[in-house]
Amino acid sequence: MSEIDTTSASKTVEFRGGGFAPQSRKWVGVAVFIVLIGFVELGTRVGFITNLTLPIPSDVFATFVDLWQSGLLWKHLVPSIMRLIVGATIGVSLGIGVGILIGLFSLIRAGLIPLVAAIFPIPKIALLPLFVIWFGIDETSKYALIAFGTFTPTVVATYGAVDNVDRSLIRMGQSFSLSWLSIVRKIVLPGAMPGILSGLRISLAIAIILLVAAEMLGAEYGIGAYILEAGSLYDLERLFVGVAILSILGVLVSLVIGMIEKQLLSWRV
Amino acid sequence: MDLRLESVGHHYGDMEVLSDINLDIPTGKIVCIVGPSGCGKSTLLRLVGGLELPTTGRILQIGTPPADSINPLTYVFQDFALLPWRSAEGNISLVLEDHKLPSSRVTEIIADVLARTKLTEFAKAYPKQLSGGMKQRVAIARALAVNPAILLMDEPLSALDSQTRELLMDDLVSLWTREPFTSVYVTHNLNEAVRLGHSIVVLSRRPGRIREIVDVAIPLGDRELGDPELERQQKHLWNLMRDEALAADKELLHV
Amino acid sequence: MKNLISRRTTLGLISMIGATAAALTSAIPAYAADTKINVGALRFTSHAASFVAFERGYFKDEGLDVEFKFFQAAQPMAVAVASKDVDYAVTAISGGLISLAEKGAAKVIGGALLEDPAIDGQKILVSDAAFKEGITEPAKLDGRSFAMTQAGSSFHYMGARIADKEGITLSFKPLQKVGAVIGALKSGQVDAWSIVPHIAKPLAGSGAVHIIGNVADYIPDYQVTVVFTSADKAANDRDTSMAFLRAFSKGADDFNAALVDRTAGDEAAEEMVKLVHKYVYTDRPYEKAAPSIINGAMRISPNAALNMASVQDQLDWFKAEKLVKDSVTIDTLVDTSYTN
């Protein structure tokens, strides 16, 4: 220390390491919502946004309350949620099953990956009339549409997740002479779980998107039918209520998956 | 149970990685394999354990493994290979679950190997909560749980810092002293080799051939850090390997 | 609501100014440049009045330079009028149209297609499966499914009125598009539907569906389609609007004379079919298209007259079904200065 010449001019070393580190600012998201809705409310009330362009947010809220109080909310929501649950369960479980088979067996991989790639980009809505012929106009065709729509993204996410399972863990299982089934059940599946769950986020969002399409044909009740009806009646308040319900469904699904991830993937670093 | 390697050679495509390896691994001894990087040490270990088939030659088990050996040839890996979604005891029970043991026996084995590796209080801990040294202890406990006839250790201490390495070497020595086990121990660290090996096999650069087998006569328990005889042995090994290592280093640049 | 009232007052003011302006413009000599307008249309025989007015130069005579914009369904056409991409259009009275009128975006200014007891009008259809189960008349439809494109469409109205009259209940299935309805009816996915004769008759001819009644028996003098424009055009561009209605009426008269009343003779009828064929069933040869066009000929209101009683009835039904707001009155929907 004594070797330092303290008589020469000195200054603190300048800090230049700030920024580029995401920080948690939860309230900002809420604030953006509030400001945006407040702006629309003001605009529609004062008149610089015409009632043909956007509905008054408080009217939308009042419409929602009406829907709630009249009991129609549940009449629309229950069949929709039923369709989501049944359709997505079929699509996701088949998707995970096929995805795992693709991940495990080279022959199935070679045979199915081109097929999955071919059906992934098909707009499932285009197939709706066909599904009506195949499965009838009632619930089955709606389940089928949602199942089909969630199937392909789940397959792709699942075999990707299986491919990404640490090979050294599988090697370890073999070195301890674990049976094939044990390796799949105890090493491959849990190892693929993070990838499968993040794929599930996308698949279920697609299921919600497809709900509207599924309810285009022959649905009297359902959130999708409600939105379509509002659209054809040019009833913007109801349209926005319906859209908001779908958004809330999306947020809820994402929260549930978040909770499942916390439960199942607590081991993650 | 002894192991014998008879003129074992191995190719990856056109590339010959091992050539004419003849080696005996006698019961109750630790055989260290050292050599420059890329000489085929790890490949040799995979051949010994049956994870790969040798292109030429054969690997023989002489005698039968003890009746209570669940998995006669058992590996310990450099990267531990622990399942992150299972606790320490869960990782150990994994390798016992397929063998239809009564659950009381399983609990007993787990408690025993955890005690032997001084992990009893970490039974419920998950890998993410454990340091590198602790993780490798869990992996060693897992290997001991199946009562192996031969432990195949693939650079088990290479991922650890030098202090942890010293501690774990002491642990391995005391494990062996209490109950001698047979092991093939692959390492690139010559200090580990002279501390743990009853005999040390020096491989040449690729294709790996046996250059020399060095026997270390000092009993394992008496090998202290800084022992002059060990220092001499280590220096001898280094002299054997230096030119090979240099050549291997240059060779890698051409690949 | 406050918004709407203030808007209407402004509209009133503007229309007064507009009237003055119109008085001035009418003085401009006829050789002035034609007014360019966009007319929305579906490729249906029921839109023939516009096609005739265009082909025979009635629009040109009125100083209108018309460009057709073709749509697949009535609903987007109403929205296109509200967004001012289309100036005039003909469509059924639907919940969407009433809502747009309620928002001050659209206004009905005349009548088009009309159910006339003397003329073959819209038909009630059942699927072959339902027919075989014994549904041979509308009264037997109790508890059956009735197809519609969307809630609040004219099909919804017709089905509901049939159910009212017969004292039965129907379950309504929205299928979005006419094509989807036809598919569902043919495959027996839905039991019943009602549609204009030029679609109903060929379907029944194929044996896949059966005609079991006439809409006219349930909704007499039903004003099926109306002429509408944006509220702005109705209030402020009276000259163009009147000119459009005059030309449209002339087209309607020709059409009625040639194909509905058949007073103009066979030659005129054939000529009319040929004219309409330029726009409708263009993908079929003339021989195949002609019967469909002739079958589809329903009366188009002379002078674009509007049956106010029918419009009132439709509006009341939409309100009762809560498909449109209660505050809507006939004046919100119709600009009566054109129709009286």
Side-chain angles (χ1 to χ4, degrees), chain C residues 79-104:
Chain C
V79 176
V81 165
S83 70
K84 309 221 168 119
D85 293 307
V86 163
D87 299 306
Y88 299 93
V90 176
T91 183
I93 295 179
S94 63
L97 179 62
I98 299 173
S99 285
L100 286 169
E102 187 262 337
K103 291 183 165 39

Side-chain angles (χ1 to χ4, degrees), chain C residues 13 30 216 219 281 339:
Chain C
L13 266 171
I219 317 168
Y281 303 126
T339 55

Side-chain angles (χ1 to χ4, degrees), chain A residues 180-219:
Chain A
W180 182 86
L181 199 67
S182 282
I183 292 178
V184 171
R185 224 158 43 83
K186 295 170 185 169
I187 299 176
V188 176
L189 280 191
M193 201 48 86
I196 293 176
L197 283 177
S198 66
L200 208 59
R201 277 182 194 276
I202 296 168
S203 306
L204 292 185
I206 290 175
I208 295 176
I209 294 172
L210 283 177
L211 186 63
V212 179
E215 292 179 354
M216 273 170 68
L217 286 193

